[in-house]
Amino acid sequence: MLSAIKIAIFLWPLLSFTPSVISRSFLINNVSDQRTLSKRQADYLPKDTQKPDIYSFTVTSNIQFRYANTTISNRVVNPSNSSKEVSFQVTLPESAFISKFLMVIKDKVYEAYVKEKEEAKKHYQEAVDQGNTAGLVALSARDSNLFTVSINVEPLSKVTFNLTYEQLLTRTLGQYENVINVNPGQIVKSFSVQVNIEESSDITSLEVFNLKTSNEINSVDSKSINYKIDRPSDTTAKIIWIPDITEQQQISSNGVKGQFIVRYDVDRLSNPNQILVDEGYFVHFYAPTNLKTLPKHVLFVLDISGSMAGRKIEQLREALIQILGDVSSGDFISLILFSDSAQLWTTTGTVGEASPTWYFNEERTTSTPDVEINERFIIPGTPENINKAKEFAAKLTETGGTNVIAALRKALEIATWGQKKYGIKAKPLIIFLTDGQPNVEMSDTEEIVKTVTKLNVDQYAIFSLALGDGADYDFLRKISLSNSGFARNIYVASDTTLQLNNFYKEIASPLLSNVTFKYIPGQIAENTLTKSVFNDLYNGTELIVAGKLTGNDSLVGNLTYVDINGFFCIPLPPETRVNKTRGHLEKLWSYLYIKQLLDKDLISEEKNSTYKQQALELSLQYGFVTPLTSLVVVKPNETESGTVIRNSELIERSKVF
Ligand SMILES: *[C@@H]1O[C@H](CO)[C@@H](O)[C@H](O)[C@H]1NC(C)=O
Ligand SMILES: *[C@@H]1O[C@H](CO)[C@@H](O)[C@H](O)[C@H]1NC(C)=O
Ligand SMILES: *[C@@H]1O[C@H](CO)[C@@H](O)[C@H](O)[C@H]1NC(C)=O
Ligand SMILES: *[C@@H]1O[C@H](CO)[C@@H](O)[C@H](O)[C@H]1NC(C)=O
Ligand SMILES: *[C@@H]1O[C@H](CO)[C@@H](O)[C@H](O)[C@H]1NC(C)=O
Ligand SMILES: *[C@@H]1O[C@H](CO)[C@@H](O)[C@H](O)[C@H]1NC(C)=O
Ligand SMILES: *[C@@H]1O[C@H](CO)[C@@H](O)[C@H](O)[C@H]1NC(C)=O
Ligand SMILES: *[C@@H]1O[C@H](CO)[C@@H](O)[C@H](O)[C@H]1NC(C)=O
Ligand SMILES: *[C@@H]1O[C@H](CO)[C@@H](O)[C@H](O)[C@H]1NC(C)=O
Ligand SMILES: *[C@@H]1O[C@H](CO)[C@@H](O)[C@H](O)[C@H]1NC(C)=O
Ligand SMILES: *[C@@H]1O[C@H](CO)[C@@H](O)[C@H](O)[C@H]1NC(C)=O
């Protein structure tokens, strides 16, 4: 008999918020990382030295219309003649929701179910009180969560673990990316990874990368793999990788450990604007081609406080110089640096805190002197000016505190001034980078978010970059979500400069402003339409709107936007009926809708907002493990046992980490 079933399932969120392909490089979880865990944490890692045998390790990722459904299946046997703890670990993308977990023990299936978090916690506590252990496991894959289950397996018996997670792939820099972490922890007899793609238009590019085994940029560590691509039709693809024992050994004698990455894109020319309809749900994809970039006004709001010392400021300098090199002559830039106060760069020097003695003043000035904002802070991207800016960037040095509010206030003033003067010829994009927490002038982050959002009347996009572990990512997410932008984690590693550059590339080509999808209101069920007004559209991305239809009629409406030639209003394209995809579009819709509700809840001031309530309801209805729900696993004798503790609680801990 199974004497006890120990379940410790953890999701350790390592930040990031958009469902995305955001960070292109990851640090693979690595055994030596586990040594850095505290004793308490390490206690919960499997201790047994005699590893159970993994009979088979199977990953199947089904992608249909950008929505990926990935199942990882592990069949394990305990070869020894004493009962052993067996653990199953999966690293999954941060943007994914777990939708299913089951174990098969002695031909009996134990399927986990999703419960409201508080309720699940109660069950969990009961399990802990009964002597089942629980603890934390950390890892270092970027923008990832770790899922771990440990159970006791009888001598010479087998157990199967199946975990399914779902995510909407976000188009970034012209491609969708599906990343699968493969790490069975040993050489496996039967090992397979399969990715099946089915799209609504032709798949025009498809790339499978070498197995990514480290984060370093000159990745000598990436391993070429022997995969097969099958293209049954123009709109479908099958990628299969079945490494035999020899191939696995060539990758590592301890078994395969890395990321299996597939990138693809679909035909845009014939289908830039596409509406799919099935079983009462619609999904609208929009990624126009052949447009000219809108000229932009990039405002760099950069932290040069003392904590930036060393590698961070070096990499910032390097990245800034490279990014400046990409600025076109029709664009404008502003450089706003902040430490104890804000300094504004002009081609003839910085204004704001000119006095070199100021930084050493015991009583720090806590407000930026009132500098009259005018044209001199909005620098045309001429080669001459860019060279001056690069020279300045090369000399950036760090000192002092972190006065976020002064910098953002100045940035908004400058952006507003630029808009008045240049209008559509200088679309403002504010890039706000910090590595620490605000501690001068205004340190209450809620107050900063409120103040900035109020000041930002015209909703210029603020993109926040959290550099390293010290930055308050939640705060940055709130600022960006409230101000038409998004936040990103930038990891301090050898590729920091590259991460900054890639981020810049994503937003470097705004094509459209104020994109609004208008549908006849009665056609869409109340409280089901996802976000339909977008501040911008960037080259290489895609806008997605989804909802539930009230009837059977064709969707009617318009799409309006502003491009370089002015305002446009185009009628919606005819829809494509996708023929009974078994609730697939509904799943895609629910995923997107729940994500957006969670974002709205994050920036809502209410504790129990209607967004939160609706998100909870839908998470339970669709069986998603979200920050509001947990997974409960049923004990073999059908009384409840362990559970997952999810996000929001662990987010608090991850700040400490
Ligand atoms: C594993 O982690 C250690 C310490 O954190 C690091 O020195 C080493 O380079 C890492 N190895 C890989 C392959 O990432
Ligand atoms: C995802 O895969 C699982 C397991 O194969 C299946 O039960 C589920 O219906 C799939 N979900 C979607 C949205 O395709
Ligand atoms: C677990 O996953 C494997 C591989 O996807 C599948 O063959 C098997 O049927 C699944 N088991 C159950 C009980 O769903
Ligand atoms: C089973 O366990 C006993 C001790 O409990 C040991 O002497 C024996 O060698 C073990 N047999 C196998 C096949 O591992
Ligand atoms: C948009 O990106 C594509 C590559 O993804 C490139 O070919 C095209 O020139 C870009 N367009 C603009 C306006 O930057
Ligand atoms: C954006 O477009 C909508 C619909 O065309 C319009 O009502 C709104 O005023 C526009 N907003 C801005 C800021 O231009
Ligand atoms: C919608 O149309 C399909 C066929 O196009 C039909 O089978 C179905 O009954 C219709 N449903 C409603 C609610 O009218
Ligand atoms: C779409 O545009 C047409 C023509 O401008 C207009 O008559 C119609 O009312 C618009 N529809 C919606 C849903 O805004
Ligand atoms: C759906 O079915 C209709 C009629 O059977 C067919 O014309 C259409 O091409 C199908 N659509 C797709 C996307 O397969
Ligand atoms: C939130 O509000 C809903 C409806 O008013 C209520 O049912 C629920 O219990 C509340 N939740 C919390 C945690 O207060
Ligand atoms: C499950 O196990 C508990 C104790 O471990 C026992 O009290 C309970 O009766 C068992 N339930 C069933 C349905 O066997």
Side-chain angles (χ1 to χ4, degrees):
M1 272 310 291
L2 262 158
S3 52
I5 171 163
K6 276 196 193 175
I7 297 164
I9 308 171
F10 304 99
L11 289 168
W12 183 271
L14 288 169
L15 320 161
S16 166
F17 88 97
T18 28
S20 71
V21 234
I22 304 177
S23 167
R24 310 209 141 249
S25 45
F26 290 71
L27 181 63
I28 308 306
N29 186 16
N30 127 12
V31 179
S32 57
D33 291 322
Q34 297 186 346
R35 291 198 204 111
T36 64
L37 297 180
S38 70
K39 167 89 173 64
R40 207 184 107 73
Q41 289 168 340
D43 278 350
Y44 301 113
L45 292 172
K47 288 171 222 101
D48 207 324
T49 45
Q50 184 185 7
K51 274 195 180 166
D53 267 347
I54 299 180
Y55 266 26
S56 74
F57 177 85
T58 318
V59 184
T60 316
S61 196
N62 290 314
I63 304 171
Q64 203 178 17
F65 319 132
R66 293 73 154 160
Y67 193 68
N69 182 8
T70 305
T71 300
I72 298 185
S73 175
N74 225 357
R75 189 155 172 72
V76 184
V77 66
N78 172 12
S80 74
N81 69 3
S82 57
S83 97
K84 286 264 179 276
E85 190 171 78
V86 169
S87 83
F88 171 60
Q89 286 199 354
V90 174
T91 303
L92 60 145
E94 196 277 340
S95 62
F97 288 152
I98 290 173
S99 59
K100 195 170 184 172
F101 173 66
L102 60 82
M103 293 181 288
V104 185
I105 303 161
K106 291 190 163 174
D107 298 328
K108 231 182 135 185
V109 178
Y110 301 97
E111 188 167 345
Y113 53 92
V114 173
K115 276 212 157 171
E116 198 259 324
K117 196 172 163 186
E118 287 306 314
E119 204 183 322
K121 238 185 191 166
K122 223 175 71 207
H123 292 287
Y124 171 74
Q125 195 50 48
E126 280 164 11
V128 170
D129 292 346
Q130 283 163 18
N132 294 324
T133 48
L136 295 179
V137 177
L139 91 169
S140 54
R142 291 174 181 172
D143 302 325
S144 301
N145 283 322
L146 179 67
F147 174 93
T148 299
V149 188
S150 303
I151 72 162
N152 254 326
V153 179
E154 283 178 73
L156 307 171
S157 69
K158 301 186 193 85
V159 56
T160 301
F161 301 97
N162 279 12
L163 177 77
T164 302
Y165 60 81
E166 301 180 17
Q167 87 198 103
L168 182 60
L169 304 179
T170 309
R171 189 166 182 257
T172 308
L173 297 172
Q175 279 183 315
Y176 304 99
E177 182 179 67
N178 190 46
V179 176
I180 300 169
N181 289 285
V182 279
N183 181 10
Q186 57 183 266
I187 303 285
V188 178
K189 281 182 211 111
S190 160
F191 184 127
S192 78
V193 177
Q194 179 163 353
V195 178
N196 303 313
I197 306 175
E198 184 192 338
E199 277 300 341
S200 48
S201 33
D202 294 355
I203 297 168
T204 47
S205 73
L206 177 65
E207 260 182 297
V208 181
F209 289 78
N210 283 350
L211 194 78
K212 184 161 182 175
T213 57
S214 110
N215 241 343
E216 302 310 307
I217 5 180
N218 27 357
S219 222
V220 282
D221 285 337
S222 74
K223 307 283 186 192
S224 73
I225 52 177
N226 204 357
Y227 58 84
K228 270 209 222 80
I229 296 184
D230 184 20
R231 294 290 308 268
S233 74
D234 288 339
T235 56
T236 56
K238 263 191 203 326
I239 300 119
I240 302 172
W241 179 44
I242 305 180
D244 57 15
I245 289 176
T246 321
E247 190 181 349
Q248 293 175 52
Q249 269 161 349
Q250 280 164 358
I251 291 167
S252 160
S253 55
N254 303 322
V256 171
K257 182 188 273 190
Q259 290 183 319
F260 183 83
I261 302 174
V262 175
R263 285 191 200 147
Y264 73 95
D265 197 17
V266 301
D267 174 34
R268 301 281 153 198
L269 289 169
S270 55
N271 259 330
N273 195 2
Q274 194 176 42
I275 299 176
L276 307 183
V277 173
D278 192 47
E279 298 190 314
Y281 286 83
F282 82 94
V283 179
H284 190 166
F285 298 105
Y286 184 53
T289 49
N290 294 329
L291 289 167
K292 284 221 174 72
T293 307
L294 297 171
K296 57 193 183 289
H297 174 196
V298 190
L299 297 104
F300 296 94
V301 181
L302 307 174
D303 191 337
I304 52 160
S305 64
S307 57
M308 287 287 291
R311 209 172 169 192
K312 287 192 252 180
I313 194 101
E314 277 167 32
Q315 288 174 319
L316 176 61
R317 274 188 223 125
E318 225 174 280
L320 186 56
I321 290 169
Q322 287 181 21
I323 288 170
L324 286 168
D326 287 341
V327 172
S328 339
S329 52
D331 294 338
F332 298 86
I333 58 163
S334 296
L335 287 176
I336 298 134
L337 309 172
F338 65 97
S339 50
D340 282 346
S341 68
Q343 300 173 57
L344 313 176
W345 183 71
T346 72
T347 48
T348 54
T350 56
V351 178
E353 287 312 326
S355 161
T357 58
W358 171 80
Y359 291 119
F360 306 103
N361 195 335
E362 291 272 283
E363 281 172 52
R364 287 175 171 164
T365 313
T366 54
S367 63
T368 301
D370 247 346
V371 181
E372 195 205 332
I373 298 304
N374 57 30
E375 206 165 349
R376 72 196 154 129
F377 301 115
I378 303 172
I379 291 125
T382 62
E384 193 199 353
N385 288 341
I386 293 298
N387 277 338
K388 281 189 186 162
K390 283 186 187 167
E391 277 167 31
F392 174 71
K395 287 186 284 202
L396 285 184
T397 48
E398 77 292 341
T399 182
T402 308
N403 190 342
V404 166
I405 190 67
L408 288 175
R409 211 185 268 138
K410 286 292 162 213
L412 289 171
E413 277 177 45
I414 297 174
T416 306
W417 204 93
Q419 273 301 281
K420 276 200 196 108
K421 178 148 171 103
Y422 301 107
I424 189 78
K425 294 206 188 78
K427 183 174 183 50
L429 302 175
I430 299 171
I431 300 177
F432 165 46
L433 176 141
T434 182
D435 78 323
Q437 315 214 354
N439 58 14
V440 184
E441 198 176 330
M442 196 184 278
S443 49
D444 179 344
T445 53
E446 298 290 330
E447 197 184 344
I448 295 178
V449 173
K450 261 192 233 161
T451 310
V452 168
T453 309
K454 202 167 148 213
L455 284 174
N456 191 5
V457 189
D458 292 321
Q459 277 286 307
Y460 305 138
I462 302 180
F463 301 97
S464 303
L465 301 176
L467 179 60
D469 298 335
D472 183 345
Y473 186 66
D474 267 3
F475 156 58
L476 297 179
R477 270 189 70 183
K478 281 185 194 170
I479 261 212
S480 286
L481 280 176
S482 311
N483 291 278
S484 319
F486 56 78
R488 278 293 159 74
N489 271 301
I490 302 291
Y491 299 86
V492 177
S494 62
D495 66 339
T496 304
T497 307
L498 187 69
Q499 293 174 56
L500 289 169
N501 261 300
N502 280 342
F503 158 77
Y504 178 76
K505 284 199 187 106
E506 283 177 41
I507 60 157
S509 307
L511 301 176
L512 304 178
S513 262
N514 192 13
V515 187
T516 308
F517 296 78
K518 289 185 190 163
Y519 308 99
I520 292 183
Q523 280 197 300
I524 294 162
E526 216 178 306
N527 283 336
T528 66
L529 183 63
T530 63
K531 185 174 156 72
S532 63
V533 179
F534 300 83
N535 209 43
D536 316 284
L537 182 136
Y538 297 93
N539 195 25
T541 67
E542 175 176 63
L543 301 179
I544 302 180
V545 184
K548 183 176 189 214
L549 297 168
T550 50
N552 236 352
D553 298 337
S554 285
L555 205 55
V556 194
N558 298 317
L559 174 56
T560 65
Y561 56 79
V562 173
D563 75 7
I564 194 158
N565 298 311
F567 177 85
F568 286 86
C569 175
I570 57 172
L572 296 187
E575 65 206 23
T576 310
R577 301 259 162 183
V578 289
N579 301 341
K580 301 275 177 244
T581 53
R582 297 168 304 278
H584 188 85
L585 295 190
E586 180 174 356
K587 244 347 191 8
L588 192 165
W589 163 79
S590 65
Y591 171 95
L592 191 61
Y593 199 60
I594 292 171
K595 283 266 165 190
Q596 293 180 1
L597 286 170
L598 292 170
D599 284 351
K600 285 188 200 162
D601 175 56
L602 185 79
I603 58 177
S604 147
E605 281 168 24
E606 287 168 65
K607 268 230 149 61
N608 187 14
S609 70
T610 52
Y611 305 126
K612 191 182 221 159
Q613 293 166 27
Q614 211 187 343
L616 170 61
E617 211 172 284
L618 290 172
S619 304
L620 293 172
Q621 185 183 340
Y622 288 97
F624 283 139
V625 181
T626 69
L628 306 175
T629 53
S630 296
L631 210 50
V632 176
V633 181
V634 180
K635 223 179 178 179
N637 78 355
E638 293 177 322
T639 52
E640 288 154 9
S641 175
T643 165
V644 167
I645 305 178
R646 242 265 359 176
N647 284 4
S648 58
E649 176 171 306
L650 293 178
I651 280 170
E652 284 147 31
R653 297 187 202 170
S654 70
K655 274 188 216 150
V656 180
F657 180 63

